[in-house]
Amino acid sequence: MTKLAIPYDSKMFHQDFIFGVATSSYQIEGDRASRLDSIWDIFCQQENTISDQTNGDVACDHINRWQEDVNLICDLGVDAYRFSISWPRVMQENGQVNETGLAFYELLIDTLKMQGKKVFVTLYHWDLPQYLENKGGWLNRQTAYDFADYCALIGQRLGNKVDAYTTLNEPFCAGYLGYELGIHAPGLTGKKNGRQASHHLMLAHGLAVQVLRQHCPEADIGIVINIHPGYPLSQSADDIAATQMGGEYLFYWYLDPLLKQSYPSVIEHLNASEQPDILPGDMAIIAQPLDFIGMNYYTRNVYTMNAQGWFEIVPPSHGNLTEMGWEIVPEAMTEMLVTLHNEYDLPPLYITENGAAMPDKLENKRVMDQNRIAYFQSHLLAVHNAMEQGVNIKGYFAWSLLDNFEWAEGFSKRFGLVYVDYATQERFWKDSAIAYRDMLTSRTLSTNE
Ligand code: FCB
């Protein structure tokens, strides 16, 4: 069996470095009948939204199979599990907690804690209750306050049992893909919508940090942002300018408010009618001190300038690509992390997601995903390299524990360490899972020597 030979014994991946696996509620849970609808339920029902016309009604049936999944987590030997709470599962429309829904997460967390696992809870991984979307969703400023109320209730109940809370996962996807490009739920389009939804998401984050601090003073509180390092298609001044613009619009739009209390200068390129409405005091609310930032990394963006003087992402046509068509460029991760470290006064970081969809084949109960092992290997080295250059990274979470519902790609793309046969819900360890486990075992052995 191939070993995932990461430099586990270097001083950079010291004993306190956390290795984990990550999932999210809509992607794995299923059991739609026991919760309210989310925007993803409704989005999936629309035509031409999901490439294989599937939905998350059943997904990995995790609600019924969670114990088996916790066993997988334990057998992998990871230190931590990152998952999200489904807002429409734990809240009722009247603002009261849905006790049955919350009990599920309480039991899950207690079981993980009993097994000595660290618990990283995401409070919003894109499954907004549809009743809130009916009132405008993230375009409605009130949703930010409703999010804070939901977080306050969850914080009161789960409190310090949770090691780390993240308010939002990738506000870029929720705001830009969901409200500006329309390729994610709820499928709205337009710059104004995207920018306004994003602003309300960031406001929701700031308000939620404030209430979580009150209720969970010992837990770490942070947010998860996806980094997309940008590179110009050519060295022309236009492409370089497009790269700057694209980076600001897609990435720094979410980072600068947190760390600089302002939106990047690309906001000046928007007409007044496209700019978000920002009320006095909003930026200060957003820029709450953070215990950590989670960074998700998959690939880089290559930019060119289009005829309208706006940036355009050039999809990679060849090279080393994953099944998503995403270019495999681990060094871009190192570069971005080091750049951020040099440009900002960063809190500690976690890599909260990293992984790859590959053309997995289940043969004789085995998936020989050497390509995924190579992806993890090169990206763990990229993390290590960033740490050697001074970036404070406290942990790494593989995306994902299981194959699952990959949003607009449905079940057609597999990111799991563990293969899911959706017809039977049987789980099979891929070679990459075995390699991840072996890497973690060898780490334990080396610290016991
Ligand atoms: C990230 C999402 C996660 C998963 C991966 C592949 O953007 O946070 O849910 O879909 O991409």
Side-chain angles (χ1 to χ4, degrees):
M1 182 62 54
T2 313
K3 294 262 190 257
L4 188 61
I6 68 147
Y8 60 84
D9 56 353
S10 89
K11 61 182 187 313
M12 289 300 173
F13 285 120
H14 47 69
Q15 236 193 313
D16 300 338
F17 190 85
I18 289 172
F19 283 98
V21 283
T23 62
S24 89
S25 48
Y26 189 74
Q27 293 180 279
I28 66 165
E29 285 183 355
D31 190 32
R32 177 177 174 186
S34 303
R35 56 163 176 75
L36 299 177
D37 278 347
S38 83
I39 53 175
W40 274 92
D41 296 306
I42 304 309
F43 186 67
C44 290
Q45 288 167 9
Q46 291 160 20
E47 269 177 36
N48 303 322
T49 52
I50 312 299
S51 71
D52 61 0
Q53 284 104 46
T54 56
N55 56 54
D57 287 7
V58 178
C60 305
D61 194 28
H62 171 74
I63 290 285
N64 296 310
R65 291 166 201 268
W66 67 272
Q67 276 162 310
E68 186 184 347
D69 294 338
V70 168
N71 289 343
L72 291 173
I73 291 166
C74 293
D75 292 345
L76 278 167
V78 291
D79 308 305
Y81 178 43
R82 171 176 180 252
F83 62 92
S84 78
I85 290 182
S86 160
W87 184 351
R89 190 178 292 287
V90 296
M91 295 297 291
Q92 306 179 56
E93 202 168 333
N94 62 11
Q96 306 287 308
V97 168
N98 174 338
E99 292 297 337
T100 318
L102 189 56
F104 169 77
Y105 297 106
E106 284 177 322
L107 188 57
L108 174 67
I109 291 169
D110 288 345
T111 310
L112 288 162
K113 297 304 291 183
M114 246 150 45
Q115 297 291 337
K117 303 298 167 201
K118 289 197 186 303
V119 171
F120 281 60
V121 163
T122 309
L123 288 153
Y124 186 70
H125 203 122
W126 313 346
D127 41 0
L128 183 73
Q130 179 63 33
Y131 65 85
L132 291 177
E133 184 58 35
N134 295 344
K135 298 188 220 166
W138 289 112
L139 297 177
N140 182 352
R141 189 177 167 90
Q142 179 57 36
T143 299
Y145 295 91
D146 292 345
F147 178 68
D149 290 346
Y150 145 66
C151 291
L153 286 172
I154 300 302
Q156 270 165 28
R157 296 290 291 272
L158 301 182
N160 298 323
K161 266 201 239 180
V162 170
D163 296 276
Y165 288 94
T166 58
T167 53
L168 309 178
N169 176 70
E170 299 186 0
F172 156 83
C173 290
Y176 179 67
L177 301 184
Y179 286 83
E180 185 159 339
L181 291 192
I183 57 177
H184 275 194
L188 300 186
T189 54
K191 284 199 177 113
K192 172 74 187 197
N193 283 342
R195 297 300 107 181
Q196 193 63 62
S198 295
H199 181 67
H200 289 152
L201 279 155
M202 298 310 288
L203 180 66
H205 155 80
L207 294 167
V209 172
Q210 291 176 332
V211 299
L212 290 166
R213 292 260 180 243
Q214 279 168 30
H215 297 300
C216 326
E218 278 152 42
D220 284 341
I221 319 273
I223 183 170
V224 170
I225 302 286
N226 45 336
I227 48 175
H228 2 203
Y231 294 81
L233 181 63
S234 75
Q235 286 310 309
S236 73
D238 273 359
D239 286 354
I240 290 170
T243 304
Q244 165 92 13
M245 230 187 248
E248 289 189 4
Y249 200 72
L250 304 179
F251 173 52
Y252 293 101
W253 193 277
Y254 303 93
L255 193 68
D256 283 3
L258 298 170
L259 299 176
K260 290 185 171 170
Q261 235 184 94
S262 63
Y263 283 109
S265 58
V266 73
I267 196 169
E268 309 301 337
H269 289 261
L270 298 175
N271 302 326
S273 65
E274 295 168 338
Q275 295 194 6
D277 303 326
I278 302 169
L279 297 193
D282 282 2
M283 300 314 287
I285 294 173
I286 295 171
Q288 296 299 306
L290 296 171
D291 298 320
F292 69 96
I293 296 181
M295 298 279 182
N296 293 352
Y297 175 76
Y298 291 93
T299 190
R300 68 169 182 168
N301 286 343
V302 173
Y303 293 99
T304 191
M305 182 85 86
N306 69 16
Q308 290 76 47
W310 190 242
F311 69 87
E312 214 166 275
I313 296 175
V314 185
S317 52
H318 60 280
N320 204 2
L321 308 182
T322 70
E323 275 285 279
M324 296 292 281
W326 295 347
E327 207 184 346
I328 302 176
V329 233
E331 21 348 312
M333 180 191 204
T334 309
E335 264 181 47
M336 182 90 255
L337 291 168
V338 171
T339 303
L340 295 176
H341 170 68
N342 292 334
E343 283 179 2
Y344 292 83
D345 188 11
L346 293 176
L349 305 181
Y350 287 94
I351 304 305
T352 32
E353 282 179 32
N354 177 240
M358 291 294 176
D360 298 331
K361 290 267 168 303
L362 182 68
E363 280 163 346
N364 302 321
K365 304 192 168 196
R366 182 166 176 201
V367 179
M368 295 169 63
D369 57 341
Q370 187 56 45
N371 39 19
R372 185 175 286 104
I373 295 177
Y375 184 98
F376 281 128
Q377 160 77 0
S378 59
H379 287 76
L380 283 166
L381 285 170
V383 173
H384 171 81
N385 290 342
M387 290 166 78
E388 286 212 308
Q389 293 175 64
V391 189
N392 180 9
I393 304 173
K394 294 174 67 172
Y396 173 94
F397 291 74
W399 183 270
S400 176
L401 170 65
L402 300 168
D403 290 338
N404 57 48
F405 179 80
E406 178 46 37
W407 309 112
E409 300 296 335
F411 295 103
S412 68
K413 301 288 185 274
R414 294 179 176 272
F415 274 90
L417 288 166
V418 173
Y419 184 96
V420 178
D421 176 342
Y422 295 111
T424 62
Q425 291 294 348
E426 222 182 316
R427 278 91 162 118
F428 299 92
W429 285 56
K430 299 181 192 175
D431 283 2
S432 57
I434 296 168
Y436 201 52
R437 180 201 62 193
D438 287 353
M439 182 266 289
L440 294 167
T441 312
S442 60
R443 179 185 59 154
T444 318
L445 291 177
S446 90
T447 47
N448 289 344
E449 269 161 19

